[in-house]
């Protein structure tokens, strides 16, 4: 049974694992293409999941062919599509543009979920999204809002935007699928589909050689690759899909705003500097995430101080 505290802890573990991938992968990407890194990331993840399933003697749910097809589409779109679009797009645009576009994912996910369920978005949730996005925006532009004026959508920006929509769609679909498939098996099957999609894409890239690039890595970078595959992928995806099942896609996506925050913290631990602007952005993001709890507490305190009617 998932308690609110357990779910929150799992979501924090998820975004920490995902955030730490960026500084850890930085050195790997100096010796390996982004597409090859994505392929080995999910190959290691699938091997880890299979080992876990064998050790725990977990029985897989039997699904119909149509449901396997649905999961295949979700995996190719959300897992393979995001990684392919993100690394391809970053070759044609700046990191600031890419981070800003990906930061739109929680808002897009909320809108997608509301449209599919035909429900209105609560005002407090809109305020929560706005505050959290404001913190991310402050970090990615480094406090210089004038850089937004020069934001132009080129090929790279549009490609990353497609990846952002793909990830939002994956999150919403994960919420819908959770009724008939546990998070572990959803992660396993969608990762497998994503890996197949990425492998097929690598066949059309003459300069991408996943096997040769892997054997050319020194052993410290192989350890970094193992971390990315196990913690940055398996642990992250399992905690994420569990959170989506418990919280719903819209509420779970709010935690996505913490990914750049943890990326900055891990970078600091690895010897990189963190600016005052980044610290301010982290504080704003945390405020946005805790906003509903603060509002509930304020209302509870007001109700407690009001005189009871006779």
């Amino acid at each position: 049974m998932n308690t609110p505290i357990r779910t929150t802890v799992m979501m924090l573990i998820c975004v920490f694992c995902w955030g730490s991938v960026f500084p850890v992968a930085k050195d790997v990407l100096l010796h390996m293409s982004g597409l090859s890194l994505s392929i080995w990331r999910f190959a290691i993840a699938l091997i880890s999941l299979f080992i876990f399933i064998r050790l725990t003697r977990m029985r897989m749910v039997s699904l119909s062919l149509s449901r396997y097809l649905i999961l295949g589409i979700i995996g190719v779109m959300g897992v393979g599509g995001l990684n392919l679009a993100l690394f391809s797009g970053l070759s044609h645009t700046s990191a600031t543009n890419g981070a800003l576009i990906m930061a739109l994912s929680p808002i897009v996910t909320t809108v997608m979920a509301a449209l599919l369920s035909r429900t209105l978005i609560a005002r407090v949730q809109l305020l929560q999204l706005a505050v959290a996005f404001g913190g991310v925006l402050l970090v990615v532009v480094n406090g210089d809002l004038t850089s937004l004026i020069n934001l132009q959508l080129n090929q790279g920006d549009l490609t990353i935007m497609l990846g952002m929509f793909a990830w939002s769609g994956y999150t919403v679909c994960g919420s819908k699928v959770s009724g008939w498939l546990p998070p572990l098996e959803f992660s396993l099957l969608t990762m497998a589909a994503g890996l197949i999609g990425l492998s097929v894409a690598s066949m059309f890239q003459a300069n991408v050689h996943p096997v040769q690039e892997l054997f050319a890595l020194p052993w410290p970078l192989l350890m970094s690759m193992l971390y990315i595959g196990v913690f940055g992928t398996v642990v992250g995806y399992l905690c994420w899909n569990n959170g989506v099942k418990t919280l719903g896609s819209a509420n779970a996506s709010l935690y996505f705003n913490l990914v750049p925050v943890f990326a900055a913290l891990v970078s600091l631990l690895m010897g990189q500097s963190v600016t005052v602007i980044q610290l301010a952005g982290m504080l704003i993001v945390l405020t946005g995430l805790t906003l509903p709890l603060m509002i509930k507490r304020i209302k509870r305190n007001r109700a407690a101080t009001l005189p009871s009617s006779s």
Side-chain angles (χ1 to χ4, degrees):
M1 182 177 181
N2 288 328
T3 64
I5 294 178
R6 183 174 182 270
T7 301
T8 300
V9 170
M10 292 186 71
M11 292 303 293
L12 290 176
I13 291 174
C14 166
V15 293
F16 172 81
C17 290
W18 283 349
S20 64
V21 164
F22 289 93
V24 172
K26 186 175 182 180
D27 291 339
V28 179
L29 288 172
L30 295 175
H31 302 270
M32 175 177 281
S33 65
L35 184 53
S36 294
L37 174 57
S38 298
I39 290 173
W40 286 113
R41 173 187 186 181
F42 291 109
I44 294 171
L46 284 173
I47 293 172
S48 302
L49 283 176
F50 275 121
I51 293 175
F52 176 79
I53 290 172
R54 292 288 294 178
L55 291 176
T56 57
R57 298 182 179 178
M58 184 179 297
R59 295 184 62 182
M60 299 287 289
V61 176
S62 180
L63 301 174
S64 63
L65 181 61
S66 61
R67 288 189 168 180
Y68 278 119
L69 180 60
I70 292 172
L71 291 172
I73 295 173
I74 294 174
V76 171
M77 175 189 68
V79 177
L82 167 64
N83 284 271
L84 181 60
L86 181 60
F87 289 117
S88 298
L90 285 175
S91 300
H92 304 283
T93 189
S94 67
T96 299
N97 284 23
L100 177 59
I101 293 169
M102 285 304 300
L104 294 173
S105 177
I107 296 177
V108 173
T109 301
T110 301
V111 173
M112 281 186 179
L115 290 175
L116 289 175
S117 60
R118 299 180 181 179
T119 58
L120 295 176
I121 303 175
R123 285 180 295 178
V124 65
Q125 195 174 45
L126 286 173
L127 180 60
Q128 186 182 19
L129 286 167
V131 173
F133 175 70
V136 174
L137 181 62
L138 181 66
V139 171
V140 298
V141 302
N142 198 28
D144 183 16
L145 296 179
T146 58
S147 62
L148 294 177
I149 300 176
N150 300 322
L151 180 64
Q152 297 178 352
L153 294 179
N154 56 29
Q155 179 185 349
D157 294 327
L158 293 175
T159 304
I160 294 178
M161 189 171 293
L162 289 176
M164 181 269 296
F165 276 105
W167 173 251
S168 297
Y170 176 86
T171 304
V172 174
C173 291
S175 178
K176 302 297 181 182
V177 168
S178 63
W180 48 268
L181 190 66
L184 175 62
E185 296 176 39
F186 177 73
S187 300
L188 175 67
L189 294 174
T190 53
M191 283 182 191
L195 176 59
I196 293 173
L198 289 168
S199 300
V200 171
S202 69
M203 297 177 183
F204 298 93
Q205 301 289 330
N207 59 337
V208 175
H209 305 284
V211 177
Q212 293 91 325
E213 292 176 48
L214 179 69
F215 285 116
L217 289 178
W219 73 265
L221 294 182
L222 287 174
M223 293 299 101
S224 297
M225 176 74 74
L226 188 63
Y227 174 85
I228 294 170
V230 176
F231 291 95
T233 309
V234 175
V235 175
Y237 270 74
L238 289 180
C239 290
W240 176 261
N241 290 326
N242 180 82
V244 169
K245 180 178 180 179
T246 305
L247 301 173
S249 56
N251 289 328
S253 289
L254 292 170
Y255 286 87
F256 196 78
N257 290 287
L258 283 174
V259 170
V261 175
F262 282 116
L265 290 175
V266 174
S267 297
L268 180 62
L269 293 175
M270 294 178 68
Q272 301 178 16
S273 62
V274 176
T275 65
V276 176
I277 293 295
Q278 290 172 325
L279 292 175
M282 295 176 198
L283 181 60
I284 294 172
V285 170
L286 291 173
T287 301
L289 288 173
T290 58
L291 192 58
L293 295 176
M294 291 190 292
I295 292 176
K296 288 182 180 179
R297 178 167 294 183
I298 292 173
K299 289 182 177 179
R300 191 182 304 116
N301 292 338
R302 286 182 178 178
T305 56
L306 289 176
S308 58
S309 57
S310 56

